[in-house]
Amino acid sequence: MFTMQWWIICVSTLGIFPLIAYSFQAQYNGDQVLQFIPADSEQVEFLRQLVENEWIDLWKPQFPEGIQPQGEVHARIPASSLDTVKGELKERALQYSILTQNIQDLLDRQIQSEDKQRFNSRAHEYTKYHPMEEIYHWMEQMKENYKELVTQHLLGVTYEKRPMYYLKISRKSDRPKKIIWMDCGIHAREWIAPAFCQWFVREVLETYTADPNTDRFLEHIDFYILPVLNIDGYVYSWLKDRLWRKSRSPCANSTCFGTDLNRNYDAKWCSIGASRNCCSTIHCGSAPESEPETIAVAGFIRKSLPDILCYLTIHSYGQLILIPYGYTNTTASNHEEMMRVGKKAADALEQKHGTKFKVGPSSLILYYLSGSSQDWAGDLQIDFNYMIELRDNGTYHFILPENQIQPTCEETMAAVTTIIEHIYDKHFPNAAPAVVALWWGVLTSCFLSMYFVNLL
Ligand code: ZN
Ligand code: ZN
């Protein structure tokens, strides 16, 4: 009887766990997302004031100095300040449009309620968002299912002591291999990013290996994938606040938490487009590499440096393929080549579903920012370096519905494959047996025909 009761309690607790988790979530009932295009410097100044006085929560650009005349601005307006803000906007004739009528509606619809069952299902669905415990479980599964190719490694431990694992996809070989690195989820609320890392792993294991044109990549290249960089923040975004962005480390002399891990790298740290204020969403931390997550990634990359051909980091939103730099308008030494390959990748992406991406350095096409992992990798002279801001352009922003996971991942896959193909062909020009054989055939037949012509 006793055991029976416990059994019932256990089963029912498991069953309602996701529901309990949702009820802890911060509420965004009545909050709206507005889009502005300030006409002149006066309106720019006014918007900056609204941000600084915390009337609005700026999403695009990420900090007030990034607001420019004629530049697009996205911001969340809390329900409590909506009337005041709209009144002020009207007074100043500052035009706006409503991107999201009620954020809470989007949040409630993002994961369909009939789907809550899936938390107990066995097969990993790549068209769903997954809480961290499922992503840990999925990594175990990948390692088990692809013993020949996949290994799991500990990169470090987060502030809240969660293990940071990455997956290494590598075909056994005696030859030294080069590395392509990809991390996702440095910003907690950008859920589509970890979804893409999971998708990418599956595509490498299934699609790449099935096609000789992409299978050849594995002869010389190992893929290192960190599916969620900011694990503490990601967990927090599932359990407490869906729109959380930073890590979860405490801040000295402040009640606010968290460092923007993409402002914490040693690349002109906290000089521009970053904040020393603990409460800011772009807080740069107390020093470069002050956070355990940053130390883990930076340490690993430094150690593996000579072998890393490409650094890829996945974000949302904005539909951009960014190359160095953010902290300066000086371009990288191989800027032209990175632009050319980036544009080719954007073309391949657009061919999938017609989605348009812009390509260029953040300082030129977006805004200045410092301390980003991309700029840090750029300073290390890693040959290829792309930061991809996935869908969308603001309609669903961070709350991209699950039915867009598949098209987003498909198009991003086309872009990433284009980049990898270029890198591969550049570094291993003699490694394409089909092409070599073809040219060899053409040459021999030329010589043979010359020989026979001479004979005649
Ligand atoms: Zn799953
Ligand atoms: Zn991001």
Side-chain angles (χ1 to χ4, degrees):
M1 189 59 195
F2 180 75
T3 38
M4 183 65 177
Q5 275 171 342
W6 275 108
W7 186 81
I8 289 168
I9 289 167
C10 284
V11 168
S12 53
T13 312
L14 280 175
I16 60 170
F17 170 71
L19 296 175
I20 291 173
Y22 280 109
S23 67
F24 280 118
Q25 283 271 6
Q27 292 294 305
Y28 290 96
N29 216 345
D31 289 16
Q32 295 192 343
V33 183
L34 301 188
Q35 172 177 294
F36 316 89
I37 298 181
D40 51 32
S41 53
E42 206 172 303
Q43 294 193 342
V44 165
E45 199 40 52
F46 172 67
L47 284 176
R48 288 177 181 172
Q49 288 296 319
L50 285 182
V51 180
E52 263 141 38
N53 297 325
E54 293 178 19
W55 285 96
I56 68 177
D57 170 21
L58 191 62
W59 284 4
K60 180 190 178 171
Q62 288 160 355
F63 45 90
E65 299 78 30
I67 301 174
Q68 298 296 338
Q70 308 304 329
E72 211 174 284
V73 177
H74 300 170
R76 177 180 69 89
I77 324 295
S80 54
S81 52
L82 208 52
D83 286 345
T84 318
V85 168
K86 283 184 175 172
E88 291 282 330
L89 292 170
K90 201 176 169 191
E91 218 167 273
R92 281 153 211 270
L94 209 168
Q95 302 285 325
Y96 64 88
S97 56
I98 298 173
L99 289 177
T100 304
Q101 195 62 245
N102 182 350
I103 293 181
Q104 194 58 43
D105 285 350
L106 274 192
L107 292 175
D108 293 344
R109 274 185 285 132
Q110 189 182 25
I111 290 174
Q112 286 124 24
S113 53
E114 73 264 25
D115 263 16
K116 285 187 177 156
Q117 272 246 6
R118 72 174 198 241
F119 287 93
N120 302 320
S121 80
R122 282 208 184 146
H124 193 77
E125 286 181 83
Y126 289 86
T127 53
K128 306 282 185 199
Y129 294 117
H130 292 279
M132 196 58 215
E133 71 230 64
E134 289 190 0
I135 298 176
Y136 278 131
H137 178 68
W138 165 80
M139 284 193 260
E140 293 284 335
Q141 276 183 330
M142 289 291 106
K143 184 179 76 175
E144 287 301 310
N145 297 350
Y146 297 90
K147 283 202 174 74
E148 297 297 303
L149 287 170
V150 179
T151 48
Q152 185 186 18
H153 305 265
L154 187 68
L155 190 73
V157 178
T158 66
Y159 175 77
E160 292 177 341
K161 303 283 176 258
R162 293 187 178 88
M164 298 169 72
Y165 294 116
Y166 66 92
L167 293 179
K168 175 180 173 183
I169 306 179
S170 172
R171 184 169 283 152
K172 285 190 181 63
S173 160
D174 302 331
R175 282 176 293 200
K177 303 270 214 51
K178 294 293 183 187
I179 296 171
I180 289 183
W181 168 274
M182 180 188 291
D183 61 57
C184 295
I186 195 169
H187 290 140
R189 62 191 173 187
E190 300 165 7
W191 283 11
I192 187 64
F196 178 70
C197 258
Q198 293 163 62
W199 186 283
F200 179 77
V201 167
R202 183 188 62 173
E203 288 291 300
V204 171
L205 294 171
E206 292 179 7
T207 310
Y208 276 16
T209 53
D211 178 354
N213 188 48
T214 45
D215 185 58
R216 67 198 164 110
F217 298 159
L218 290 165
E219 282 175 41
H220 297 277
I221 289 175
D222 293 340
F223 295 97
Y224 288 64
I225 296 107
L226 178 61
V228 185
L229 195 160
N230 176 11
I231 299 173
D232 295 346
Y234 188 71
V235 169
Y236 195 79
S237 75
W238 272 84
L239 297 181
K240 303 279 180 167
D241 181 354
R242 174 65 185 82
L243 296 175
W244 188 255
R245 165 184 166 92
K246 301 185 284 181
S247 71
R248 290 297 304 163
S249 59
C251 218
N253 307 319
S254 170
T255 51
C256 291
F257 278 77
T259 293
D260 179 348
L261 297 175
N262 206 37
R263 297 291 188 283
N264 192 234
Y265 286 79
D266 193 3
K268 296 283 178 293
W269 177 80
C270 224
S271 58
I272 192 167
S275 170
R276 285 175 201 260
N277 174 358
C278 296
C279 301
S280 164
T281 55
I282 52 165
H283 175 230
C284 56
S286 56
E289 293 187 30
S290 61
E291 307 304 306
E293 295 86 352
T294 315
I295 293 169
V297 173
F300 179 81
I301 289 186
R302 262 194 295 266
K303 181 183 84 185
S304 321
L305 198 53
D307 295 322
I308 301 180
L309 294 183
C310 179
Y311 175 78
L312 296 167
T313 180
I314 311 295
H315 289 249
S316 78
Y317 63 97
Q319 299 180 188
L320 303 161
I321 297 179
L322 298 172
I323 62 175
Y325 284 93
Y327 67 70
T328 172
N329 59 10
T330 307
T331 52
S333 57
N334 62 337
H335 173 83
E336 296 305 327
E337 186 182 20
M338 269 198 279
M339 277 301 287
R340 191 159 38 81
V341 176
K343 281 180 175 159
K344 208 172 149 193
D347 286 344
L349 187 154
E350 188 179 349
Q351 293 216 328
K352 278 282 165 187
H353 300 290
T355 315
K356 288 197 179 353
F357 271 56
K358 276 197 252 175
V359 184
S362 184
S363 60
L364 298 181
I365 67 168
L366 204 55
Y367 41 67
Y368 282 87
L369 79 161
S370 58
S372 75
S373 67
Q374 168 165 60
D375 281 2
W376 177 80
D379 284 342
L380 292 176
Q381 308 288 319
I382 291 175
D383 210 5
F384 289 91
N385 183 325
Y386 294 97
M387 169 171 161
I388 309 184
E389 294 268 11
L390 307 183
R391 288 190 195 187
D392 58 15
N393 260 331
T395 310
Y396 295 103
H397 33 83
F398 303 113
I399 316 169
L400 196 71
E402 286 187 322
N403 64 17
Q404 286 200 40
I405 295 177
Q406 181 167 348
T408 304
C409 290
E410 284 170 351
E411 66 194 13
T412 312
M413 203 61 213
V416 170
T417 303
T418 303
I419 293 167
I420 295 170
E421 194 155 33
H422 175 88
I423 294 169
Y424 188 85
D425 291 341
K426 181 183 172 180
H427 283 271
F428 308 102
N430 300 319
V435 178
V436 173
L438 179 73
W439 278 106
W440 183 242
V442 171
L443 282 174
T444 22
S445 56
C446 283
F447 282 121
L448 278 176
S449 51
M450 279 160 68
Y451 176 74
F452 283 115
V453 168
N454 281 342
L455 272 186
L456 290 169

